[in-house]
Amino acid sequence: MEELLIDLYGGQFERELLQEIAAVGVFKNVPADTVLMDFGQYVKSMPLLLKGAIKIMREDQDGDELLLYFLEKGDTCAMTLSCCMGFTKSEIKAVTETDTQLIMVPVQHMESWLGKYKSWRGFVMDSYHDRLMEMLDAIDSIAFMNLEDRVMKLLAEKSQITGSKDVRNTHKEIAQELHTSRVVISRILKKLENEKRIALHRSHITLL
């Protein structure tokens, strides 16, 4: 596990910090579509993402979900940090988008490292900033983009994450992530196909 950490964070974290993470962290291989954290749970560990992608969802009063942003290799979740350090229940849901490798760091070590390692403090602050920017981007998309553009943006993000032009999500899954109905998404996808921007298949969508 220490070799994985060095490959990913070797130029960012002190050697002593990498050794501590390897000693106390719990390595996990998690398949796609696995719920890592759900609404209302207490969070006792923070994930360091080594490989794969995780989508972060928010829930409204009716129990419907909205995609906020994706976490990728090298990322962590600022909202997880807040829940851990404040001992509060999670207000987000984290689900693996692809097969994922991560290290779970217990909360008590996270706090002690803030005072012990300058690189860790910087990493935490950068994580807060990055997630805030992604939250603002999600708000801008909802406020200023039409649904057709939001669909294309989501498909492009998923394509970038997987490194493939084939997006293997159902119309229902895309509708849930964008907080709309499957019928509306199916109509938009058909329109995008007619415009030669995507190709629809039985099990996936291809970006053209």
Side-chain angles (χ1 to χ4, degrees):
M1 182 166 66
E2 187 172 344
E3 291 181 0
L4 289 172
L5 287 167
I6 291 172
D7 288 342
L8 190 55
Y9 298 107
Q12 183 176 4
F13 292 159
E14 296 92 341
R15 180 74 183 197
E16 293 80 5
L17 174 56
L18 292 172
Q19 291 173 342
E20 287 203 46
I21 295 174
V24 303
V26 178
F27 178 82
K28 291 187 176 183
N29 268 311
V30 186
D33 300 319
T34 300
V35 177
L36 296 173
M37 179 170 57
D38 211 343
F39 307 111
Q41 287 185 342
Y42 282 101
V43 183
K44 298 180 181 180
S45 299
M46 183 197 77
L48 294 177
L49 191 53
L50 303 178
K51 180 181 178 182
I54 299 171
K55 59 185 177 184
I56 304 298
M57 314 287 290
R58 185 81 166 94
E59 187 178 50
D60 68 10
Q61 295 179 352
D62 298 321
D64 295 323
E65 298 173 0
L66 173 68
L67 175 66
L68 296 180
Y69 51 80
F70 291 99
L71 300 177
E72 298 182 68
K73 182 174 69 174
D75 288 340
T76 191
C77 182
M79 299 187 76
T80 303
L81 291 168
S82 297
C83 292
C84 281
M85 300 181 72
F87 300 101
T88 57
K89 292 181 179 180
S90 172
E91 296 184 2
I92 60 168
K93 181 178 182 180
V95 183
T96 52
E97 177 74 9
T98 63
D99 292 345
T100 298
Q101 292 180 347
L102 49 84
I103 295 176
M104 301 302 296
V105 178
V107 60
Q108 62 268 26
H109 298 285
M110 287 169 37
E111 293 179 300
S112 66
W113 292 341
L114 286 173
K116 190 175 180 181
Y117 296 109
K118 181 179 179 180
S119 65
W120 182 257
R121 290 196 302 274
F123 174 69
V124 169
M125 294 303 297
D126 288 345
S127 297
Y128 274 113
H129 177 267
D130 292 344
R131 301 296 84 77
L132 175 60
M133 291 300 100
E134 287 168 334
M135 290 276 288
L136 292 176
D137 183 58
I139 293 170
D140 287 345
S141 295
I142 295 170
F144 304 121
M145 295 176 69
N146 60 42
L147 190 54
E148 182 178 316
D149 290 337
R150 289 175 62 202
V151 169
M152 282 302 302
K153 180 175 181 289
L154 178 62
L155 294 177
E157 288 176 341
K158 288 176 176 287
S159 174
Q160 181 181 354
I161 285 170
T162 60
S164 169
K165 289 188 175 296
D166 293 335
V167 177
R168 298 188 180 279
N169 285 99
T170 66
H171 296 192
K172 181 180 179 181
E173 288 169 339
I174 294 171
Q176 289 173 335
E177 292 176 355
L178 294 178
H179 204 284
T180 186
S181 71
R182 183 194 60 77
V183 173
V184 170
I185 291 299
S186 295
R187 185 168 65 244
I188 288 175
L189 290 174
K190 189 62 180 177
K191 179 176 182 291
L192 293 172
E193 183 178 45
N194 291 337
E195 294 172 354
K196 308 299 183 183
R197 299 170 70 183
I198 64 171
L200 298 177
H201 308 280
R202 181 180 296 274
S203 60
H204 63 278
I205 301 165
T206 302
L207 275 72
L208 301 178

